[in-house]
Amino acid sequence: MLVVQKFGGTSVGDSARIAAAARRVRESRARADVVVVVSAMGGETDRLLAACEEWGADDAREYDAVLASGEQICAGLTALALRKIGVAAKSFSGKQAGILTDEAHGKARILGIDTAALRAAVAEGITPVVAGFQGRAANGDTTTLGRGGSDTTAVALAAALAADECQIYTDVDGIHTTDPRVCEKARRLKTVHFEEMLEMASLGSKVLQPRAVAFAGKYRVPLRVLSSAEENKNGGTLVLCSRSSAMEEPIITGIAFNRGEAKITLVRVPDRPGVAGRLLARLGAENINVDMIVQNISHDGRTDFSFTVDRGDYAAALECARGAGGDIGAETVTGDEGIGKVSVVGVGMRSHAGVAAKMFAALAEGGINIQMISTSEIKISAVIEESRVDDAVRLLHDAFGLENGAEEETTQTPRGE
Ligand code: ASP
Ligand code: MG
């Protein structure tokens, strides 16, 4: 049996936490071979980033050289902590672990993993401690995988090593129906389907990096989120890749939300082909990700065109929109920096009607105005005023009865009774 155990920034935030992580690894080693992946100590990546920014120019190669060091220091320290308590351990940078990436500094993609060195260590009874978040490009340069990338390292290693489980140790005890800091009735989920997890991660639940979840789904890596602070007798949350037929699916699994968004509207744009394309090309050229897009029905040959972006991109997006608006002949361009998004997510939605009606009724009851709506097969999102996001989350959590734990009860019922 082989498990990959990943410890996030807070779980290795200081010497005491590193020692606790090391004890957990030693305990697991009684049952399985372990490959450890670590993030940089909490706050370290931000500190290194700020140190780079002091020099102004955004030189991606050197940024990566600096940023990758955070994880390397932590890997070395964790290996020392393990050795101190009698566990044979050895640190590996991403490069030494055989993680090959493309050359896109700051957001590199993993192309392949040469696991020979890690396998050799494990075969010798040595526990490898791999620096997350990084790899090596074909030209030998160090690359990083984007913020939160250690999750991806862990999942990718678990896939490449055909590990029995990839365990993500973090500062929460699993995935919840929603953020417990916003809604006190939030409940830990025993299991969550990977598609739901992917939606929830992308929609603002910050526990797992969306890319890592996508990777786990693609390679069917059993992924478990656990608390590094607790005993974890409850088993955390298991992200499932296939659906178990024994499980009665709740219609809605969770409520995700994101506060920091912004909306831009091109008012009274001539309704003719190419308008959306031109605007989006400009935004794309500035590397601005557009989230929702809504175009109204046209009345007198003109239409309103709205889209949302991350608040950090607001100023740049507004500039693009003004430029494009001028070219296209929009009457005006308006913006609103104070919006957020709430989303209900659940694979059970596929087979149940009426979810949208219930969601919108709950929001209406709370006097919350819906500005934009977008849907996929397993989620419905609404853009609302930012100041109402917390209320909306609580209202929806109640409306869909998420505190009741139907799923836990079902899975705990002994089979065959
Ligand atoms: N240390 C990196 C970050 O803060 C990677 C990670 O923690 O996963 O983004
Ligand atoms: Mg993280």
Side-chain angles (χ1 to χ4, degrees), residues 151 168 175 197 201-202 205-210 212-213 223 225 239:
D151 288 345
I168 307 283
I175 307 297
M197 192 62 242
S202 311
S205 154
K206 308 236 157 40
V207 180
L208 289 173
Q209 195 204 30
V213 180
L223 186 63
V225 177
V239 182

Side-chain angles (χ1 to χ4, degrees), residues 109 115 136 160 177 250 257 295 332 392:
R109 303 214 149 246
T115 57
R136 177 178 70 86
T177 49
F257 60 91
Q295 182 179 339
T332 48

Side-chain angles (χ1 to χ4, degrees), residues 4 6-9 37-40 45 71 130-134 145-157 166 168 209 212:
V4 171
K6 182 254 172 182
F7 294 90
V37 175
V38 291
S39 286
T45 307
E71 268 71 10
V130 181
F133 173 58
Q134 59 188 275
L145 310 179
R147 298 308 304 266
S150 297
D151 288 345
T152 300
T153 303
V155 173
L157 280 176
C166 180
I168 307 283
Q209 195 204 30

Side-chain angles (χ1 to χ4, degrees), residues 41 52 111 132 154 194 210 248 257:
M41 296 167 77
C52 289
L111 300 177
F194 106 87
E248 171 70 39
F257 60 91

Side-chain angles (χ1 to χ4, degrees), residues 12-34:
V12 287
D14 55 32
S15 304
R17 301 279 194 117
I18 290 177
R23 287 194 298 274
R24 189 174 291 284
V25 171
R26 183 173 65 179
E27 204 177 285
S28 306
R29 285 216 18 165
R31 278 164 276 124
D33 287 327
V34 180

Side-chain angles (χ1 to χ4, degrees), residues 22-340:
R23 287 194 298 274
R24 189 174 291 284
V25 171
R26 183 173 65 179
E27 204 177 285
S28 306
R29 285 216 18 165
R31 278 164 276 124
D33 287 327
V34 180
V35 171
V36 179
V37 175
V38 291
S39 286
M41 296 167 77
E44 181 67 5
T45 307
D46 288 334
R47 202 183 61 76
L48 293 171
L49 193 58
C52 289
E53 281 164 356
E54 265 183 51
W55 301 95
D58 187 355
D59 184 334
R61 181 185 183 275
E62 304 314 328
Y63 270 53
D64 273 0
V66 175
L67 291 185
S69 70
E71 268 71 10
Q72 288 166 19
I73 291 168
C74 191
L77 292 174
T78 305
L80 287 171
L82 282 163
R83 294 164 78 105
K84 174 135 193 210
I85 58 171
V87 179
K90 193 171 157 184
S91 66
F92 288 78
S93 66
K95 209 183 272 201
Q96 290 171 322
I99 298 173
L100 306 170
T101 73
D102 61 18
E103 285 168 26
H105 286 289
K107 48 175 190 289
R109 303 214 149 246
I110 297 177
L111 300 177
I113 302 182
D114 176 357
T115 57
L118 293 181
R119 285 185 197 275
V122 170
E124 280 178 60
I126 294 169
T127 298
V129 183
V130 181
F133 173 58
Q134 59 188 275
R136 177 178 70 86
N139 64 3
D141 282 352
T142 295
T143 52
T144 67
L145 310 179
R147 298 308 304 266
S150 297
D151 288 345
T152 300
T153 303
V155 173
L157 280 176
L161 293 163
D164 296 279
E165 198 163 283
C166 180
Q167 302 175 343
I168 307 283
Y169 285 91
T170 179
D171 50 358
V172 294
D173 68 348
I175 307 297
H176 291 75
T177 49
T178 194
D179 187 337
R181 287 168 299 189
V182 171
C183 176
E184 58 177 21
K185 293 180 193 161
R187 176 176 59 82
R188 181 182 56 85
L189 295 160
K190 261 190 145 165
T191 59
V192 59
H193 191 263
F194 106 87
E195 286 176 89
E196 295 168 333
M197 192 62 242
L198 193 55
E199 288 281 8
M200 277 153 69
S202 311
L203 292 168
S205 154
K206 308 236 157 40
V207 180
L208 289 173
Q209 195 204 30
R211 247 173 92 190
V213 180
F215 214 103
K218 185 165 170 199
Y219 294 98
R220 301 191 158 264
V221 176
L223 186 63
R224 194 184 287 279
V225 177
L226 295 150
S227 160
S228 56
E230 286 169 30
E231 271 309 311
N232 286 311
K233 291 209 175 66
N234 57 31
T237 300
L238 181 64
V239 182
L240 297 170
C241 292
S242 52
R243 238 166 297 162
S244 127
S245 51
M247 200 168 80
E248 171 70 39
E249 273 160 3
I251 301 171
I252 296 304
T253 302
I255 316 281
F257 60 91
N258 195 14
R259 291 196 182 86
E261 303 200 10
K263 182 177 80 168
I264 293 173
T265 303
L266 282 76
V267 182
R268 291 184 53 76
V269 179
D271 192 9
R272 56 169 182 257
V275 168
R278 257 157 102 174
L279 171 66
L280 294 177
R282 272 189 187 239
L283 293 164
E286 295 294 317
N287 238 323
I288 298 170
N289 270 329
V290 175
D291 180 17
M292 270 192 220
I293 303 176
V294 171
Q295 182 179 339
N296 261 331
I297 293 177
S298 113
H299 287 299
D300 44 3
R302 288 183 172 260
T303 179
D304 291 347
F305 186 96
S306 298
F307 62 96
T308 63
V309 292
D310 222 56
R311 189 159 313 150
D313 288 332
Y314 177 66
L318 194 58
E319 204 173 306
C320 288
R322 290 208 171 111
D327 295 351
I328 301 162
E331 256 179 40
T332 48
V333 175
T334 62
D336 182 353
E337 269 189 279
I339 61 157

